[in-house]
Structures are given as structure tokens and as C-alpha cells.
Amino acid sequence: MEKSSCIHFCFISYLVLFIVVGSWYRSTNSSLPNSTLQTPWSTSKNRIFSNSKASSVLETQAQTSIDHSAEAPHHPLDPLTMQEINKVRTILSSYEPFSFTFPTIHTVQLDEPDKVQVLKWSKGDALLPRKAQVLALLNGQSHVLTVDLDSSSITSHAINSSSGYPMLSVDDILAASKVPFSNAEFNKSIAARGVPSSDLICLPPSAGWFGPNEEGKRVVKVLCYSKESTPNFYMRPIEGLVMTVDLDTLEVLKFSDTGREIPIPKSTDTDYRYTAQTKEPQMEPLNPISIEQPKGPSFRVEDGHIVKWANWVFHLKADHRAGLVISRVMVRDSENGELRDVMYKGFASEFFVPYMDLDESWYFKSYMDAGEYGLGMSALPLVPLNDCPRHSYYMDGIFATPDGNPFVQPNMICLFERYAGDISWRHSEGLLTDFQIREARPKVTLVARMAASVGNYDYIFDWEFQTDGLINVKVGLSGMLMVKGSPYHQAPNQDAMSGPLISENLIGVVHDHFVTFHLDMDIDGANNSFVNVNLVKERSLPGESPRKSYLKAKRKIAKTEKDAQIKLKLYDPSEFHMINPSKRSRLGNPTGYKIVPGGTAASLLDHDDPPQLRSAFTNNQIWVTPYNRSEQWAGGLLTYQSRGDDTLAVWSERDHSIENKDIVLWYTLGFHHIPCQEDFPVMPTVTSGFELKPVNFFESNPILRAAPAFETDLPVCRSSASS
């Protein structure tokens, strides 16, 4: 680039930056209405939003939501629109069983058409019939309804006969959080601790299920914290004070107060906001960094949900429960340019988080974050330039409130291209030959991201697409620890505690995180098989070779569901392939994809432990089941207070045939978390994941003909001073 062009580009860049920063500064100092980005969540598992001084310097950078009131669906898998949710409410209002009392709506989402119909549908065809699935609660009973939007009728209505209830509603959480303040025992205990009621925040975590004494009632456990002098009230627990509350009657069923001798931890150094930091970081300052795209991003989004980038096409949408759903994933063949099926649908099905403390105020903490709270319902607006880079595309979620009205969850998904200096492929020659070759290709990827703030924890979900056909799925953990108050400033015996001290009077309780993914792989079509490619050690025969042992890959096709129940073992390694036995490469290999586990962990709880009974889907890292459109949630459709009688583990015990059929791969990613001081007061992100990698899917390296990058491709503005 000529010098004058470079100077012009730099000037324009700085001018744009000046305008953006100026606009942001004015917006942070103006009076904006509180409804600008409101959602119905004023609380979640361990979080309460208020209009107090606990604001963030980054809060107003989130983009304002667009008007969705006139949107219409374009694809059979498009989520329900605002108009459709309004229509669902109108139909329910005139439905005779609800004529006297309108139920509490817990979920309204698209009842997806049959998979066969969706696979046959093409753009330009008439849209398939639109239906909604509704989970509602009335008089203590869970109602599952199907609403036909075309005929304006309810086509199915069942009262759930198995255990479990729909996820907590906003009304449930708000009502339960107020119960302690009218309870005499609670007020007496708080007064004895010297905590003003104005400094209290009380939160209703789920109660789990621990036997028949807890059946027949929807209950929560209410815990309290002090928010004096800090927005990070998680670090100031009022230890040992817990109430069991009936959600329907708002009656205190049990009151426990065992921690009066434990001091409330101080607020010192707990405020994590940028504006609250009084000391400079002890590191060299970083200059601003950004990915520049002078021609704009390479991806495009058509009809609101169809993403097209490089050789990929897929459907992307927000979901009330799963958060982010990827569907109809296709990749273009590198030889003939045809689009080929890879995955019909992928999403995080359940998130299990058990804590390892037996105290009265801790034993029940074994959360199922997707089924009890909703990952989509917990997704707040992403922060531009910090959550997502420049040139990102943002997507809203459209969900329903407890009274059935639609609302917008703004900017909960972002889509962007990533270049981190990684290499797609390379090779050099010249040391021992006459060839002087330097060939390398930069790795540019496409990322779909969602972050759910489920109480104290923040979960970042990335689906990353590579041009070589690989899909990299990552989960990041950040936010705040769930901590336990302690009388100690220094631990006399850490082995006697449920976790290490992370600050004065604070224990970071040991816990786990397990994320189970639903992966409906359709490799070149729906009928697939699951293959265990086991690496087996063999001994060489006497005199056969100087080698004594070697490894051999032995393939075994799983015939039934039990054949595909896999526990990962370091010293019994395998690759796990999903193949299409009817589609072969030119060399005769079945086309396929393999799942490549990253760093993971397995649940070590006893199988008869109540939390593990409910989350038995974590007993294996891999499961394979026949496709069933009603079996999408690993913890069951109704997870709250379930007994584990409708889970992936139960379905798999049927041991149905899975060879050369439409099958679903389930994978559980795990983390063991032993907290440390660096996790206080907010955690640096910890990330793990897995890959879906092509195996004999392409005839050869699919990015062999990809173009390298050249200096002339991008404007380069160098600093006038260098060291």
C-alpha cells in the first residue's frame, strides 16, 4: 500500500474510533430509560439486578435490540416470532381448561416439524405447519401442550405423570426471594448477626431431589448474602442460614440456622468492576488490538438465521433452554462443490454442577442449569469489543414471560471471524534438497458465541467452524465461585474442609461441571453407524522384528445402544467415528466424522447418590441413541425436582439397534474444580471442549487450494516510533 493510502486509512480509522468513543462517553453520562434493554429476569439462581449504583462501565456498550414485532419465519426451524407467541397466548386464553385460571407459562418454543419433512424442504417451498410446544403449570400440575398455529387449536394436552416440574419462572424466583423478610425466625437471626435488612439479598437456588419426603411440592432453598459496600455479594455469604420454601404456597417448610458463629466475610477487594480498581495492574500495558477487515466480514446471514461462510452453511438460533442451537449443518465438497450433510442439530442439552459439601446449607447444591433455569433465559447482552470482536453480527432471542407475552433477550448470540495467528497447514523444504519451498496458510475460522450468566457462574459457549471441515466446540467457565463462610483467616487443617481458603473467611468449595451435548450427526444422510476404533497393543512374534510391541487399530461397529456407552480411558485409547456405511470414498472408506475429546473429567459420585441419579447421563462420556424428536434433553423434559426417571441413561437401557440408522451422539464434557486464590474475586476463564473432525469425508486435504495471505491484502499502519 502506498504511504498516502496508509495515512488516509489510519486517519479514517482514528476518526471512526473518536466518534465511537465520543458517542459511548455521551451515552454513559446521559439518562437512559431503564427499559432500554430490559428482560423479565431481575433475578436468577444467585443474581439480583437492581437500579442501584452497581453498574458497569461497559454496560451501555451493548447494542439496542431491533424491532421484531413484524418478523415472519422463513425456515421450518426458525424460532417462534413475537406475533406467533402472542397468538399462542390468545389460543391458550380461550382454551376451556384454562378459562377460569390462566396457567403460569414456563416455556413456549417451536415444536419442530418432523425431521424427514425438514430434510425435504427447500427455500421457495411453502413453509411447513407451525406449531408451538408449551410447558405450563396450574394447580401444582405440569401441562405439556402442542398448539397448532395454522388452525389456532390445541392438538395435544398431557398432564405429566412422571417426576419433575418445568424450569423456575421469573415469578417463582421473585416471590421466593421475598419470603424471608416476613419470617419471624429469619428476622430474629439477621438482627442477632447485626445485618440491616436493607443490605440483604436473598436468593432461591433449586433444592434438587433427596427422597420421597420432598415429593408432591415444588420447593426451593432460600439463602442470603450481604451486599454492603460491594456489588459482589456472592463473596459475602450469611453462612448456615437456609430456608426451605414451598413455591406454590410461599410457606417456610423448614428453617435452619447453624452458622451464627461464622463471620460475614469483609467486602475488601471484592468489587471486580473496572471503575472500582484503585491500583494499576502490575504488568506492561497492552496496546489496543483488533482484527481489521477492510472489505468487511466474509460471512453473511440470510433471512435472519441462515449463516453462509467459506464452505459452510448452517441454521443458527437462540433457544430458551439450550441457549444456542446449530442446525442443518452442511459443508461444501472440495472436489465438486456440492453441499453435504454433516449435522442435523447440535446444542448443549444439560449442565450438571454438584458441590462437595455435606452441611445442611450445602448438600442440595447440585444444579441442572439448563433444565432448572435455562441457558437462554440466563444470557444477557454480549459486550462489544470484549465479549465479541469488531465486525460481529448480533442475534436476539425471542422468548415468553410467565404470563405468555413475548419479550426480547437482546444480543445474546454473536457471530464473528477469528484469526489468532494460527496455521491451517504448512510445509517447508530446502535443507536437504534443491527445492526452496515455504508454504503456509493462515487459519481463519467462524465462531458462533453465547454466554450464559447462570447466577454466580458465567458459561461461554463457542461453536467454531474451520475451512478444513472441522467443528471445534468449546465451553469456558468464568464469573464468581460459590463460596462458603469460614471462621478462619488461615486454615488450620485444609483437609478437614470442603475446599481451600481462597480469601479471609472464605472457602472455595470443591465442585464439578458437566455439559452434555446433543449431536444429531447426519454424515451424508440420516442413516449412520457408530464405530469404536480401538488401539490395541500387540506383541511381535519371536524373530519377527527387533521391536517387541506395536499398536494396531481394530474397528468395531456398535450394534445396540449399550455397545456405544463409552467411558474414556487413557490406557485403553480409541477413536470414535460416526460413519455413513452407504457412502464411500474413492478408496472404499466409509465417509465419517470423529469426535475428538479435549481435556475432560468424569463424575466420581456414587450412582445411588440422589444428584447422580438425576444426572445419570454423566455416567458415561459418550452415548448413542436412535433419533427421537421427543428425546432432546439429557436430564428429561421436566428436570426440576425430577428423580432421574426420564433421562438419557434410562433411554439408553432400552438397548435398541443403532447400526445404519438415524442416530444421535451424546458427549459429556467435564471439569473438576478445586478452587484457588486466583479465582477470587472473579475467575479467569477456564476452557475445554471437543472437536468434530472429518475422517475420510473428503477425498484429500480440502484446503489444499486455499490462497495464502500477502502483504498487499491488508492495509498496514506502522507506528512512527519503534524500539
Side-chain angles (χ1 to χ4, degrees):
M1 175 176 283
E2 294 181 357
K3 184 177 180 181
S4 60
S5 299
C6 185
I7 293 172
H8 180 259
F9 176 83
C10 293
F11 174 76
I12 295 296
S13 299
Y14 282 117
L15 180 61
V16 171
L17 181 62
F18 177 80
I19 293 171
V20 170
V21 171
S23 299
W24 167 77
Y25 179 80
R26 287 191 297 273
S27 69
T28 58
N29 288 277
S30 62
S31 298
L32 295 175
N34 291 332
S35 59
T36 303
L37 291 177
Q38 271 196 351
T39 73
W41 281 99
S42 58
T43 69
S44 75
K45 180 174 70 179
N46 275 349
R47 177 183 67 238
I48 286 186
F49 295 98
S50 84
N51 295 322
S52 66
K53 297 179 181 179
S55 60
S56 168
V57 69
L58 301 176
E59 185 176 355
T60 54
Q61 290 187 21
Q63 298 177 4
T64 302
S65 177
I66 63 174
D67 181 11
H68 295 279
S69 59
E71 284 184 340
H74 299 278
H75 188 280
L77 298 179
D78 281 357
L80 295 177
T81 65
M82 296 186 77
Q83 291 180 338
E84 289 176 322
I85 293 174
N86 277 322
K87 188 172 183 179
V88 169
R89 191 184 191 285
T90 299
I91 296 169
L92 290 175
S93 297
S94 58
Y95 184 50
E96 186 175 350
F98 301 152
S99 57
F100 293 105
T101 306
F102 192 78
T104 300
I105 304 299
H106 290 257
T107 307
V108 178
Q109 61 184 19
L110 178 72
D111 186 32
E112 295 183 356
D114 287 335
K115 181 177 178 180
V116 173
Q117 293 179 296
V118 176
L119 291 173
K120 290 180 179 178
W121 184 88
S122 297
K123 186 173 181 178
D125 294 346
L127 200 61
L128 297 176
R130 299 283 286 177
K131 298 180 181 180
Q133 183 193 68
V134 179
L135 299 184
L137 198 69
L138 182 64
N139 300 324
Q141 293 182 313
S142 300
H143 298 254
V144 184
L145 305 100
T146 302
V147 181
D148 189 314
L149 291 164
D150 296 327
S151 65
S152 298
S153 63
I154 293 176
T155 56
S156 71
H157 179 187
I159 297 176
N160 183 57
S161 58
S162 62
S163 67
Y165 297 100
M167 67 177 66
L168 292 175
S169 73
V170 180
D171 292 349
D172 290 331
I173 292 177
L174 286 174
S177 65
K178 297 175 183 176
V179 167
F181 297 94
S182 59
N183 182 273
E185 286 184 286
F186 171 81
N187 287 322
K188 182 179 178 181
S189 176
I190 288 298
R193 296 170 188 255
V195 181
S197 60
S198 59
D199 286 339
L200 283 178
I201 283 183
C202 293
L203 310 170
S206 61
W209 175 82
F210 291 89
N213 292 335
E214 297 184 357
E215 293 176 8
K217 295 179 180 179
R218 288 194 313 137
V219 296
V220 291
K221 304 284 189 176
V222 180
L223 310 175
C224 297
Y225 300 79
S226 171
K227 61 183 177 67
E228 181 187 8
S229 303
T230 181
N232 191 358
F233 53 85
Y234 308 110
M235 298 299 117
R236 305 203 69 204
I238 300 175
E239 195 57 53
L241 185 61
V242 57
M243 285 153 286
T244 305
V245 174
D246 186 316
L247 278 170
D248 297 312
T249 66
L250 299 181
E251 173 190 2
V252 177
L253 302 177
K254 185 177 180 181
F255 180 87
S256 177
D257 186 8
T258 59
R260 290 195 185 186
E261 77 286 354
I262 299 175
I264 299 173
K266 297 183 183 301
S267 62
T268 307
D269 295 330
T270 61
D271 195 337
Y272 50 88
R273 294 171 299 168
Y274 180 72
T275 54
Q277 307 312 307
T278 58
K279 295 190 298 184
E280 292 292 327
Q282 298 301 306
M283 63 174 70
E284 292 291 327
L286 300 178
N287 293 329
I289 187 170
S290 177
I291 299 174
E292 298 305 327
Q293 297 180 283
K295 295 182 180 180
S298 303
F299 66 88
R300 64 184 187 273
V301 180
E302 297 180 354
D303 295 331
H305 296 281
I306 300 296
V307 180
K308 295 184 177 181
W309 175 79
N311 48 349
W312 289 100
V313 177
F314 58 90
H315 187 276
L316 173 65
K317 69 179 177 182
D319 183 85
H320 179 106
R321 183 165 175 171
L324 181 155
V325 176
I326 305 279
S327 302
R328 294 297 285 121
V329 179
M330 293 176 283
V331 68
R332 201 169 296 280
D333 190 279
S334 57
E335 299 299 321
N336 57 31
E338 294 180 1
L339 282 173
R340 298 169 62 185
D341 290 326
V342 173
M343 182 172 67
Y344 182 74
K345 190 175 183 181
F347 58 92
S349 179
E350 192 51 82
F351 213 123
F352 174 49
V353 189
Y355 285 80
M356 308 302 165
D357 194 300
L358 304 180
D359 283 2
E360 178 69 21
S361 57
W362 276 86
Y363 75 90
F364 57 87
K365 295 180 181 179
S366 51
Y367 305 116
M368 309 273 266
D369 285 335
E372 293 180 338
Y373 302 103
L375 299 176
M377 284 295 289
S378 304
L380 296 178
L382 294 162
V383 181
L385 300 185
N386 294 273
D387 282 327
C388 310
R390 187 176 294 171
H391 305 295
S392 292
Y393 174 93
Y394 292 85
M395 184 178 290
D396 299 340
I398 312 295
F399 306 137
T401 60
D403 60 5
N405 288 311
F407 77 91
V408 178
Q409 199 79 308
N411 301 329
M412 62 170 282
I413 294 173
C414 71
L415 193 67
F416 61 91
E417 286 172 294
R418 171 188 282 155
Y419 173 59
D422 294 329
I423 300 169
S424 279
W425 68 266
R426 79 173 314 278
H427 185 65
S428 294
E429 285 286 357
L431 183 62
L432 300 176
T433 69
D434 293 334
F435 297 109
Q436 295 297 319
I437 298 174
R438 305 288 184 270
E439 291 284 337
R441 302 292 185 271
K443 179 182 287 188
V444 179
T445 63
L446 180 72
V447 179
R449 171 172 293 169
M450 189 273 298
S453 298
V454 193
N456 54 300
Y457 258 103
D458 289 59
Y459 301 119
I460 305 119
F461 293 87
D462 281 2
W463 287 75
E464 184 174 24
F465 295 83
Q466 298 184 182
T467 53
D468 59 3
L470 184 144
I471 304 172
N472 189 6
V473 183
K474 295 187 286 189
V475 179
L477 312 181
S478 189
M480 264 67 71
L481 294 172
M482 185 174 288
V483 295
K484 181 177 183 179
S486 167
Y488 301 114
H489 282 244
Q490 291 188 339
N493 181 7
Q494 296 216 17
D495 290 340
M497 302 192 304
S498 56
L501 276 183
I502 60 163
S503 187
E504 290 78 5
N505 303 117
L506 280 179
I507 293 172
V509 177
V510 173
H511 58 283
D512 291 336
H513 301 265
F514 300 104
V515 196
T516 297
F517 284 85
H518 174 285
L519 305 166
D520 183 2
M521 306 297 292
D522 279 7
I523 310 300
D524 278 326
N527 283 7
N528 289 181
S529 294
F530 178 77
V531 184
N532 186 335
V533 184
N534 189 221
L535 281 172
V536 179
K537 182 177 72 174
E538 304 239 340
R539 293 283 294 180
S540 59
L541 297 174
E544 181 181 17
S545 170
R547 291 283 301 275
K548 300 297 183 183
S549 61
Y550 62 103
L551 300 181
K552 191 166 186 176
K554 295 189 175 182
R555 301 166 59 87
K556 181 181 179 182
I557 297 177
K559 303 293 184 182
T560 68
E561 292 175 273
K562 288 186 178 179
D563 291 340
Q565 295 178 1
I566 304 294
K567 290 180 172 63
L568 299 178
K569 300 174 184 177
L570 187 63
Y571 282 94
D572 185 14
S574 289
E575 286 192 358
F576 305 101
H577 297 189
M578 292 285 280
I579 66 165
N580 187 328
S582 303
K583 183 71 181 293
R584 302 271 171 168
S585 71
R586 75 179 194 282
L587 301 178
N589 293 312
T591 64
Y593 263 69
K594 66 180 177 180
I595 187 164
V596 183
T600 192
S603 179
L604 304 179
L605 297 178
D606 288 340
H607 287 192
D608 63 350
D609 195 355
Q612 195 63 29
L613 285 172
R614 300 178 65 225
S615 62
F617 52 85
T618 64
N619 289 345
N620 300 304
Q621 285 74 57
I622 293 176
W623 312 73
V624 178
T625 61
Y627 170 79
N628 185 327
R629 67 191 298 266
S630 68
E631 295 175 353
Q632 299 197 60
W633 309 111
L637 178 64
L638 303 178
T639 303
Y640 196 87
Q641 286 182 242
S642 66
R643 300 193 298 266
D645 51 355
D646 179 32
T647 69
L648 169 59
V650 173
W651 310 333
S652 182
E653 284 302 303
R654 299 167 305 196
D655 206 25
H656 287 165
S657 173
I658 59 171
E659 185 179 8
N660 198 15
K661 296 185 182 297
D662 190 359
I663 53 179
V664 176
L665 173 68
W666 304 78
Y667 179 72
T668 296
L669 174 68
F671 301 78
H672 294 309
H673 190 173
I674 303 174
C676 59
Q677 291 177 210
E678 287 81 359
D679 294 333
F680 174 87
V682 62
M683 291 170 46
T685 301
V686 176
T687 303
S688 190
F690 62 93
E691 296 176 345
L692 298 171
K693 186 178 188 300
V695 176
N696 303 315
F697 186 86
F698 299 103
E699 294 294 353
S700 62
N701 181 349
I703 52 173
L704 177 66
R705 294 181 287 274
F710 297 97
E711 284 285 344
T712 55
D713 292 337
L714 290 171
V716 180
C717 300
R718 294 184 175 88
S719 172
S720 59
S722 60
S723 57

